[in-house]
């Protein structure tokens, strides 16, 4: 099968459901995996990435991903009636996180399996560690690391850590473009080819490795 060009992105293949006459909105430059589910009052902005099996249930409150944000595989977004659940520009939501009636501000990162509860606000360029629990109405200031159950401020973030986060989000923005251009459903091979190609991403470095290098 030939790759799908951005202009041919098959919106009709998405799992999108209207409720009470409200239809999800997906910007043509965003990528939403066909196994993700969008229901009702969902707004996906330009250049966003929504991963496999993500669930965005806009059947009570409004759900918004602003430009360049990513919501990775198996994440859940939901909220109570009359609320907005928002990931602002360049927000980065790791695998399996749950966002409920909260706001994630610009360039913030929510770690894998973290839970952000109602009316919580995650400050700009902050990082919520994996598996953290941010309780209802908790306000996290900008540029800090929070962790724990319930989440507590651990320390300010360094410029290096914020730059690493920003680079990681750019990687997901590039993944949006890669998916639009080349991702297609296909049949598996029955054997590994000789000299099998690898996906090369030499500039993507885990934070722990970056610190070891003193980068």
């Amino acid at each position: 099968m030939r790759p799908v060009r951005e202009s041919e992105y098959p919106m009709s293949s998405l799992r999108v459901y209207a409720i009470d006459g409200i239809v999800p909105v997906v910007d043509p430059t965003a990528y939403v995996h066909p196994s993700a589910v969008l229901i009702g009052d969902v707004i996906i902005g330009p250049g966003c990435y929504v991963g496999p099996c993500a669930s965005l249930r806009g059947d009570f409150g409004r759900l918004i991903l602003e430009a360049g944000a990513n919501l990775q595989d198996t994440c859940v977004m939901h909220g109570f009636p009359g609320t907005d659940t928002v990931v602002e520009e360049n927000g980065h939501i790791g695998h399996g996180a749950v966002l409920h009636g909260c706001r994630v501000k610009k360039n913030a990162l929510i770690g894998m399996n973290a839970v952000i509860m109602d009316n919580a606000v995650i400050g700009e360029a902050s990082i919520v560690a994996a598996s953290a629990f941010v309780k209802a109405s908790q306000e996290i200031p900008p540029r800090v690391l929070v962790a724990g159950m319930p989440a507590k401020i651990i320390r300010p973030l360094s410029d290096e850590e914020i730059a690493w986060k920003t680079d990681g989000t750019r990687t997901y923005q590039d993944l949006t473009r890669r998916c639009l251009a080349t991702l297609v459903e296909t049949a598996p091979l029955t054997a590994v080819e000789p000299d099998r190609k690898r996906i090369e991403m030499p500039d993507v470095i885990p934070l722990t490795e970056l610190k070891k290098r003193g980068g």
Side-chain angles (χ1 to χ4, degrees), residues 17-208:
Y17 302 88
I19 189 168
D20 295 335
I22 300 174
V23 179
V25 177
V26 179
D27 187 277
T29 63
Y31 178 79
V32 178
H33 191 274
S35 66
V37 177
L38 278 56
I39 299 172
D41 198 358
V42 177
I43 301 170
I44 308 296
C48 289
Y49 172 86
V50 177
C53 299
S55 175
L56 295 89
R57 279 185 49 213
D59 47 14
F60 290 175
R62 177 168 293 176
L63 314 179
I64 302 170
L65 295 183
E66 294 186 357
N70 68 75
L71 186 80
Q72 297 172 24
D73 34 311
T74 73
C75 287
V76 174
M77 287 184 74
H78 194 240
F80 286 115
T83 66
D84 290 355
T85 305
V86 182
V87 180
E88 293 186 4
E89 185 176 352
N90 296 332
H92 189 108
I93 314 301
H95 318 291
V98 177
L99 308 181
H100 202 279
C102 58
R103 178 174 288 267
V104 177
K105 292 206 165 183
K106 286 183 179 180
N107 205 39
L109 182 152
I110 308 302
M112 294 180 280
N113 291 315
V115 176
I116 317 298
M117 291 298 293
D118 300 276
N119 301 313
V121 178
I122 308 302
E124 185 170 339
S126 282
I127 293 178
V128 176
S131 297
F133 178 82
V134 177
K135 62 186 180 181
S137 300
Q138 187 172 1
E139 295 200 17
I140 304 301
R143 296 175 63 97
V144 297
L145 171 67
V146 300
M149 300 177 70
K152 296 180 180 178
I153 297 171
I154 304 301
R155 57 174 172 79
L157 289 169
S158 66
D159 291 341
E160 173 193 67
E161 289 168 321
I162 293 173
W164 169 83
K165 184 273 160 192
T166 301
D167 286 343
T169 300
R170 288 196 194 102
T171 300
Y172 268 87
Q173 291 164 350
D174 182 57
L175 178 60
T176 295
R177 293 185 286 270
R178 288 169 57 206
C179 289
L180 289 171
T182 72
L183 192 147
V184 293
E185 188 172 0
T186 187
L189 302 174
T190 56
V192 178
E193 324 91 290
D195 302 318
R196 180 177 175 84
K197 179 182 175 181
R198 287 184 177 271
I199 294 175
E200 300 289 346
M201 302 180 71
D203 296 330
V204 179
I205 303 169
L207 183 60
T208 52

